[in-house]
Amino acid sequence: MARELAAEQAHVDRVYEALEVATTSARQVADEGRRRYQTDRGDFLREEDGTALFERDAFAYQSAKRLATLDAEHEGLVFGRLDMNPPDTRYIGRIGVRDEDYEPLVIDWRAPAAEPFYRATPTNPMGVVRRRVLRCRNDQVVGIEDDLLDDDSPSELVVIGEGALMASLARARGDAMRDIVATIQSEQDEAIRAPYQGVTLIAGGPGTGKTVVALHRAAYLLYTHRRRLERGGVLVVGPSSVFMNYIERVLPSLGEDAVTLHAIGAVARDVLGFTTERVDAAEAATLKGSLRMLPVLRALANEPLNGLQEPLRVSVKGEVLTLQPDELARIREQVLETRMINRARPAAEKALLQALWNRFTNEAELSREAFDDLAGSQASFTMFLQAWWPSLEARDMLVRLSDRELLDRVAPKLTPHERDVLSNSYDPGLLEQVSRGKVSPWSVADMALMDELVAIIGLPEADPEADAPVFIEGGDVAELVSTADLLSTQREVDPNDDPQQTFAHVLVDECQDITPMQWRMLRRRGPQASWTLVGDMAQASYPHLDETRRAIDDLVGSGQRREFRLTTNYRSPAEVFSLAADVIKAVHPEADLPRAVRSTGVHPVLDSVAPADLEARVGEHLTELAGQVEGTIGVLAPPSLLEQAAAAVERAGMAERARVVTPLQAKGLEYDAVVVLSPDDIVHEAPGRERVLYVALTRPTQRLVTIDLDRGAPAQWRQALPASA
């Protein structure tokens, strides 16, 4: 072992020496760029300096990018080695590094030459004799794990360890997801390296590594198709901000940061200007996610603001001209046939003047131009037009659904109960908050509805007086001048273009939770994109699985489609997953159940307590679990018990190690131990019912505790368990 560690350390030292040379070179280029063309903004550079500045900007950008990559990849840079037949040695790492003769010291894990590190098996060794995983701390090699793939290997070849994967699975979990770049398995690698065109679906049960495989796929695609995807952008969508914070370090650790990460409640920020994490109650969330909301929103967009039913009257040369509400409604309908509301005001004004002109006897023999000037400049006309055709905000329109009388008009196909649910989901004081410019308590489901309204009505016109300052105010600041500063021409934006930001590739995690209305929102961000969809129908929080499948089929259409199924549960101990599997099979017999490969010998603890004693009992379990596991402990509670759960954690002094979240927020996360509070309440309060409980039960990597509230009757969820549980 000592001899092998010393040999590997010698090579790793060479790699870091080459890395230092590359880092020094990148810093020199960056420093040179900063020294040139600095200005205090008191002068203007000549036009011919533009070419030199463009070259300087390009070199500075590339050097800064390379420097950031080198700095980010310093930790654990080299993690693998392949000994090949014919004799050849390849070291695998997070980025490629070459020596002064341009010979590879480390091969980037995404390169084709590194593929055997992940795909080789004893039955198909792909020329690999020995696969070695190096475990490093900073730049020091501290451990080795080998796999012998060819029985005809030379007798002097040393084989050490019992397998890198199992050693990795036993490590404690923290608050951030770890990459699996050193331990990717063959079925995972196949999904990672699939072609980018069309739609790639990655399915698998809990603990199969779907999320981390998807992130490695994003890094691989950017490496392989950099010109196309980096220019067009890659969007990664997850279920919550908690989840996005958990995964945000994975892509930079894999050498990629040119990716936009959004929780589903933040996707529409590009057009709405804000985000949200609030989740509606189950009934409201399901209704708002349904395509039945489409006709409601379209009718709402056509409903005049404030129900204006006044006629238009103007006086031209003593003649009073009147347009009645029914004719105004026809004009409005005609104008909106081919235009968005927020882009149609000039056409509406023109149509009103035409209708008034048709009523004008013109005894004074005015020209049409003179008539338009006289009629259009009157206060009665301008005030009517402003009230009849205002510039609309999507959020101002959506909050009108709190008006039950209006809702009855725009949503006749919803049942009275559904209209009550929809109307009651909006705070009665919301309109006042919006009018005062305060942050409004919108829900995640509302974001998709408002994005749909933006697609119907367009964005309000920008204030033409809101010009950005040309110079930086205050102080004598020596500032780096970019080419963009010198080129004052601005690209004209077509007002009829879609306002949403678009991407070349869209990766959606937990795609089984995306509602039909949210799928419409996502498709606007990738109308020409390739897609990677990751999910498991057995964990769906949206209750109508047929609608979800139909939405995915509509997205794929007639394009290329490839599917991968991950079959091995690396996270859950067999004892824990057996219990979770019993729960989900009772309501979803066709659930895709993976095979758990680990066993701890510790069965889940099923506890019950009086509601008044819940906080004390949670504290007892947390204290006991803290002595049994090294990493984080998740406390998963239904929304109605979140405050009690947080109080219990504080009372037990476990704030540093315990994380209180709802089961929906816990999607994609994992903890060493998990305490699940009141499984029955989780079922009743979540739209996905038992499927959401299944999510909660499959979060631990070591130990699981459930605590039922004793309300005088047996816990309903336990009916799915065998009598011995």
Side-chain angles (χ1 to χ4, degrees):
M1 171 68 83
R3 184 175 67 252
E4 293 297 309
L5 285 175
E8 302 299 358
Q9 185 65 57
H11 185 82
V12 170
D13 289 342
R14 284 189 63 200
V15 172
Y16 277 97
E17 289 171 6
L19 188 70
E20 184 61 33
V21 171
T23 302
T24 301
S25 174
R27 286 203 176 97
Q28 288 173 346
V29 175
D31 291 343
E32 178 63 21
R34 280 192 292 268
R35 283 194 294 270
R36 298 179 61 189
Y37 296 104
Q38 285 187 342
T39 175
D40 59 3
R41 291 293 176 120
D43 61 344
F44 289 88
L45 297 175
R46 296 171 299 176
E47 185 176 347
E48 53 265 30
D49 291 327
T51 300
L53 283 174
F54 178 81
E55 292 174 353
R56 190 287 319 277
D57 283 352
F59 278 109
Y61 170 77
Q62 292 298 336
S63 62
K65 183 178 177 182
R66 179 63 174 167
L67 191 58
T69 300
L70 295 174
D71 288 343
E73 304 309 328
H74 190 81
E75 177 106 15
L77 172 59
V78 188
F79 58 76
R81 166 177 169 164
L82 293 176
D83 293 285
M84 310 293 293
N85 184 21
D88 181 30
T89 300
R90 304 176 190 172
Y91 281 90
I92 313 300
R94 297 179 182 276
I95 58 174
V97 179
R98 297 178 180 270
D99 62 16
E100 60 276 7
D101 297 324
Y102 214 65
E103 291 297 320
L105 294 173
V106 182
I107 297 171
D108 191 298
W109 70 274
R110 294 160 290 192
E115 189 171 337
F117 185 77
Y118 304 108
R119 296 286 187 92
T121 64
T123 57
N124 181 25
M126 301 178 67
V128 178
V129 177
R130 180 183 66 181
R131 173 173 52 213
R132 168 168 289 180
V133 175
L134 309 180
R135 189 159 55 88
C136 296
R137 186 175 297 118
N138 296 322
D139 56 358
Q140 298 297 309
V141 182
V142 297
I144 295 172
E145 296 285 344
D146 289 335
D147 289 319
L148 187 63
L149 303 180
D150 189 344
D151 291 338
D152 295 330
S153 60
S155 57
E156 68 273 11
L157 195 66
V158 177
V159 180
I160 295 174
E162 298 179 357
L165 175 62
M166 300 307 292
S168 173
L169 294 175
R171 276 191 266 163
R173 264 57 179 177
D175 285 328
M177 176 179 279
R178 293 194 302 258
D179 65 66
I180 58 168
V181 66
T183 57
I184 292 171
Q185 301 302 291
S186 179
E187 70 173 2
Q188 296 172 329
D189 189 69
E190 186 179 0
I192 289 170
R193 296 177 190 265
Y196 78 87
Q197 295 91 343
V199 178
T200 299
L201 296 104
I202 302 175
T208 54
K210 298 184 299 296
T211 295
V212 72
V213 165
L215 295 175
H216 285 67
R217 173 166 170 77
Y220 170 78
L221 292 178
L222 275 165
Y223 175 85
T224 310
H225 308 284
R226 183 164 304 278
R227 178 173 295 182
R228 179 183 189 276
L229 296 185
E230 195 169 57
R231 182 174 61 246
V234 174
L235 172 64
V236 175
V237 179
S240 68
S241 62
V242 175
F243 174 81
M244 304 315 287
N245 292 336
Y246 179 63
I247 69 170
E248 66 180 354
R249 290 174 51 188
V250 173
L251 284 166
S253 74
L254 298 174
E256 297 297 347
D257 56 8
V259 173
T260 299
L261 300 175
H262 278 332
I264 190 66
V267 169
R269 181 172 58 185
D270 52 358
V271 294
L272 301 178
F274 57 91
T275 67
T276 185
E277 283 289 303
R278 187 175 73 82
V279 178
D280 283 301
E283 261 191 306
T286 301
L287 178 58
K288 290 180 181 181
S290 170
L291 291 179
R292 298 172 67 205
M293 288 300 297
L294 271 178
V296 177
L297 297 178
R298 289 167 181 161
L300 180 65
N302 289 324
E303 184 78 12
L305 197 63
N306 300 323
L308 185 64
Q309 295 294 324
E310 298 295 325
L312 167 61
R313 289 190 179 92
V314 297
S315 177
V316 180
K317 292 297 183 177
E319 184 176 349
V320 177
L321 307 174
T322 304
L323 295 178
Q324 295 296 335
D326 56 345
E327 185 168 4
L328 290 169
R330 285 195 299 272
I331 293 173
R332 183 183 182 88
E333 185 177 346
Q334 290 169 2
V335 171
L336 291 178
E337 282 180 353
T338 56
R339 299 172 183 87
M340 293 182 177
I341 296 175
N342 279 335
R343 300 297 181 189
R345 184 166 174 171
E349 181 178 4
K350 184 177 179 181
L352 289 178
L353 290 172
Q354 179 64 49
L356 292 170
W357 171 259
N358 293 341
R359 277 173 166 63
F360 186 48
T361 61
N362 201 11
E363 293 179 358
E365 297 184 353
L366 289 178
S367 68
R368 176 60 191 274
E369 184 178 357
F371 174 85
D372 287 352
D373 287 342
L374 285 172
S377 61
Q378 291 184 37
S380 60
F381 182 88
T382 56
M383 292 176 65
F384 177 87
L385 181 61
Q386 185 174 356
W388 185 62
W389 210 286
S391 182
L392 299 179
E393 290 273 4
R395 57 185 180 179
D396 293 336
M397 297 184 65
L398 193 63
V399 77
R400 296 175 68 198
L401 294 179
S402 62
D403 181 346
R404 181 55 195 269
E405 184 179 340
L406 179 142
L407 190 54
D408 289 341
R409 291 199 304 270
V410 301
K413 292 188 177 181
L414 298 184
T415 67
H417 174 70
E418 288 172 331
R419 278 177 249 159
D420 285 338
V421 168
L422 188 57
S423 179
N424 294 337
S425 71
Y426 296 104
D427 185 343
L430 190 59
L431 185 57
E432 183 181 355
Q433 295 181 44
V434 171
S435 65
R436 292 180 180 179
K438 294 183 178 180
V439 176
S440 302
W442 302 108
S443 71
V444 172
D446 289 331
M447 300 297 281
L449 300 185
M450 285 185 280
D451 191 70
E452 189 71 38
L453 283 170
V454 169
I456 295 171
I457 67 175
L459 288 176
E461 293 187 10
D463 184 357
E465 298 180 0
D467 293 331
V470 178
F471 298 105
I472 296 176
E473 298 180 358
D476 294 325
V477 181
E479 181 186 329
L480 186 65
V481 183
S482 72
T483 308
D485 294 324
L486 302 178
L487 302 177
S488 59
T489 56
Q490 296 184 348
R491 180 178 65 89
E492 290 202 11
V493 178
D494 184 345
N496 294 316
D497 280 350
D498 292 333
Q500 291 84 2
Q501 183 182 2
T502 59
F503 297 86
H505 189 84
V506 181
L507 189 157
V508 184
D509 199 5
E510 305 293 348
C511 72
Q512 75 280 349
D513 292 340
I514 304 299
T515 68
M517 291 302 296
Q518 289 170 342
W519 278 117
R520 291 177 63 86
M521 176 179 68
L522 290 174
R523 290 179 69 169
R524 295 186 190 101
R525 273 76 190 173
Q528 305 297 326
S530 52
W531 295 71
T532 297
L533 307 180
V534 184
D536 174 22
M537 286 298 178
Q539 300 180 66
S541 61
Y542 186 67
H544 305 306
L545 299 186
D546 54 337
E547 290 187 17
T548 301
R549 293 189 182 97
R550 196 157 51 243
I552 293 175
D553 289 340
D554 289 344
L555 176 68
V556 176
S558 59
Q560 296 186 46
R561 173 180 182 146
R562 61 193 68 85
E563 297 186 28
F564 298 92
R565 177 176 174 265
L566 305 180
T567 59
T568 304
N569 181 346
Y570 300 105
R571 177 201 302 142
S572 307
E575 296 82 358
V576 170
F577 189 67
S578 175
L579 180 144
D582 288 334
V583 170
I584 194 60
K585 283 188 296 186
V587 296
H588 193 54
E590 67 274 22
D592 185 1
L593 300 180
R595 177 178 58 91
V597 295
R598 293 188 304 119
S599 178
T600 60
V602 179
H603 290 275
V605 175
L606 307 184
D607 199 358
S608 182
V609 66
D613 299 327
L614 177 62
E615 289 185 23
R617 185 64 58 85
V618 171
E620 293 172 7
H621 282 295
L622 288 176
T623 301
E624 184 176 0
L625 290 171
Q628 296 170 339
V629 300
E630 296 181 4
T632 55
I633 302 172
V635 181
L636 275 57
S640 61
L641 295 177
L642 272 182
E643 291 187 6
Q644 277 187 270
V649 169
E650 288 291 335
R651 182 175 171 181
M654 295 291 294
E656 290 188 4
R657 290 189 60 186
R659 306 290 180 262
V660 179
V661 293
T662 67
L664 290 179
Q665 291 174 327
K667 287 208 165 196
L669 309 184
E670 56 186 30
Y671 308 91
D672 277 8
V674 166
V675 180
V676 178
L677 304 188
S678 189
D680 278 350
D681 285 329
I682 288 175
V683 171
H684 295 150
E685 295 179 27
R689 297 185 61 81
E690 287 85 359
R691 291 192 295 271
V692 175
L693 176 58
Y694 179 54
V695 171
L697 297 175
T698 54
R699 297 308 97 190
T701 65
Q702 301 294 333
R703 295 173 185 261
L704 172 66
V705 174
T706 68
I707 304 178
D708 292 309
L709 295 183
D710 187 353
R711 294 174 173 138
Q716 295 179 7
W717 76 278
R718 293 200 194 185
Q719 296 178 10
L721 305 181
S724 59

